[in-house]
């Protein structure tokens, strides 16, 4: 059976993670206990997770024309990601995200993601064949709206499953099949804490499934049903990347033909598996996740 294809439209960056017992005060220094340098950014993280689920991801993103860009694209290809849709921006440094992670799980980001390493509509147009050939198009809405709307519109016209990650503008809603928003984003999207009634009103504008963060877990709402799933019980080391694994697992399950409740359980299980280690890079094993999914289903 040919694996499904997903086009992932989002950020690629060099991810540098430093763990410390506590962030030092100004004018002081602290030793890092662990250091990780790897392929990162929301787009790349989701593409890595999709590959681990057996989906063929095609990444549409921007890298600089520097050596770091060469290294990261090599890592992406080793991860099973098609990088033909990655633009190499001349004269630009590849994006950088520095995470400082304290022992209690508190994180701080320093990021250098200037305009040249963000997608433009022209970049998306250049990747039209990749988008139109995909079974799903996963779009991170942290990219400029002109680019994300173009990507979602192309995918919609081609009949792909459209998954939007973040807070969509009104113009995006009619293009979407699925919207994933974390708790903060859900508050912006719905004008307050997510409820079934508020979510149902948003469904009238186009989406078929909403996956919304709430204070005690996640709320999934569709036309004739809804499901609340609590957070998994794993020890949380670093919440970075939990949302990316969630979105990738949800997409992969829907591409496999899972119904909404089953896809929701896969999403929560993948997120729980990812927050147990430092950094946003996923390390997902289907056998382990199947056990978590059964537990979430009460089996």
């Amino acid at each position: 059976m040919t694996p499904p294809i997903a086009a992932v439209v989002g950020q690629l960056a060099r991810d540098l993670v430093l763990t410390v017992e506590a962030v030092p005060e100004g004018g002081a220094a602290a030793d890092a206990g662990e250091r990780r340098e790897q392929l990162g950014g929301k787009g790349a993280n989701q593409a890595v997770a999709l590959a681990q689920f057996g989906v063929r991801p095609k990444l549409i993103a921007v890298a600089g024309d520097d050596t770091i860009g060469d290294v990261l694209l090599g890592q992406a290809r080793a991860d099973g990601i098609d990088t033909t849709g990655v633009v190499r921006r001349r004269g630009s440094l590849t994006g950088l995200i520095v995470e400082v992670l304290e022992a209690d799980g508190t994180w701080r980001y320093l990021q250098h993601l200037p305009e040249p390493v963000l997608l433009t509509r022209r970049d998306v147009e250049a990747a039209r064949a990749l988008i139109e050939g995909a079974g799903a198009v996963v779009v991170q809405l942290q990219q400029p709206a002109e680019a994300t709307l173009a990507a979602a519109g192309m995918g919609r016209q081609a009949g792909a499953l459209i998954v939007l990650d973040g807070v969509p503008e009104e113009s995006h809603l009619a293009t979407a099949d699925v919207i994933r928003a974390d708790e903060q984003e859900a508050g912006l999207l719905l004008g307050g804490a997510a409820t079934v009634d508020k979510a149902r009103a948003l469904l009238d504008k186009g989406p078929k499934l909403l996956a919304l963060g709430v204070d005690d877990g996640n709320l999934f709402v569709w036309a004739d049903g809804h499901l609340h799933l609590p957070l998994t019980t794993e020890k949380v080391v670093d919440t970075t990347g939990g949302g990316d694994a969630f979105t990738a697992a949800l997409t992969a399950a829907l591409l496999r033909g899972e119904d909404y409740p089953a896809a929701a359980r896969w999403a929560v299980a993948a997120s729980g598996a990812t927050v147990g280690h430092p950094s946003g890079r996923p390390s997902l094993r289907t056998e382990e996740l199947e056990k978590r999914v059964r537990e979430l289903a009460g089996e």
Side-chain angles (χ1 to χ4, degrees), residues 136-151:
V137 181
V138 185
V139 183
Q140 284 89 57
L141 297 177
Q142 296 80 4
Q143 295 290 306
E146 185 180 55
T148 58
L149 184 59

Side-chain angles (χ1 to χ4, degrees), residues 35-295:
R35 168 177 163 176
R36 298 188 182 201
E37 294 191 57
Q38 59 206 12
L39 174 67
K42 289 185 70 66
N45 285 341
Q46 291 181 13
V48 170
L50 284 163
Q52 292 172 357
F53 279 117
V55 177
R56 293 167 57 196
K58 297 179 181 291
L59 181 60
I60 299 162
V62 180
D65 62 353
D66 52 1
T67 302
I68 290 299
D70 296 336
V71 172
L72 295 181
L73 290 179
Q75 177 63 67
R77 289 188 287 270
D79 285 325
I81 300 168
D82 183 330
T83 62
T84 56
V86 176
V87 175
R88 302 299 300 270
R89 196 80 80 209
R90 291 184 60 185
S92 298
L93 295 172
T94 298
L96 171 65
I97 301 172
V98 179
E99 178 188 0
V100 180
L101 178 66
E102 295 187 71
D104 64 358
T106 300
W107 51 259
R108 293 173 174 83
Y109 289 159
L110 295 171
Q111 58 188 35
H112 184 245
L113 303 172
E115 186 176 344
V117 296
L118 301 180
L119 284 163
T120 67
R121 183 182 181 91
R122 178 177 293 182
D123 298 331
V124 172
E125 289 282 359
R128 178 181 290 274
L130 297 178
I131 293 171
E132 292 180 341
V137 181
V138 185
V139 183
Q140 284 89 57
L141 297 177
Q142 296 80 4
Q143 295 290 306
E146 185 180 55
T148 58
L149 184 59
M154 288 177 199
R156 165 60 61 218
Q157 291 176 3
L161 173 76
I162 307 300
V163 180
L164 303 184
D165 178 5
V167 184
E169 297 187 6
E170 191 77 17
S171 56
H172 286 81
L173 294 175
T175 69
D177 292 299
V178 179
I179 296 176
R180 162 59 181 168
D182 64 23
E183 184 179 359
Q184 181 178 6
E185 292 167 340
L188 295 172
L189 181 60
L190 300 178
T195 66
V196 174
D197 288 343
K198 287 180 181 178
R200 285 258 160 76
L202 191 62
L203 290 178
D204 292 338
K205 298 184 179 181
K208 298 178 179 65
L209 173 66
L210 300 178
L212 306 170
V214 292
D215 61 0
D216 59 349
N218 287 277
L219 176 65
F220 300 82
V221 182
W222 58 96
D224 56 356
H226 69 275
L227 177 65
H228 175 271
L229 290 176
L231 300 174
T232 55
T233 57
E234 288 84 5
K235 178 183 177 182
V236 175
V237 174
D238 183 4
T239 57
T240 301
D244 295 334
F246 180 109
T247 301
L250 185 66
T251 302
L254 293 173
L255 283 172
R256 290 196 305 269
E258 303 274 9
D259 62 18
Y260 289 153
R265 294 184 184 102
W266 276 98
V268 171
S271 180
T274 301
V275 300
H277 64 260
S279 88
R281 180 177 173 83
S283 180
L284 303 171
R285 297 173 178 82
T286 302
E287 298 80 7
E288 295 178 6
L289 291 180
E290 285 177 340
K291 179 181 178 182
R292 297 169 191 259
V293 169
R294 289 195 297 271
E295 291 172 352

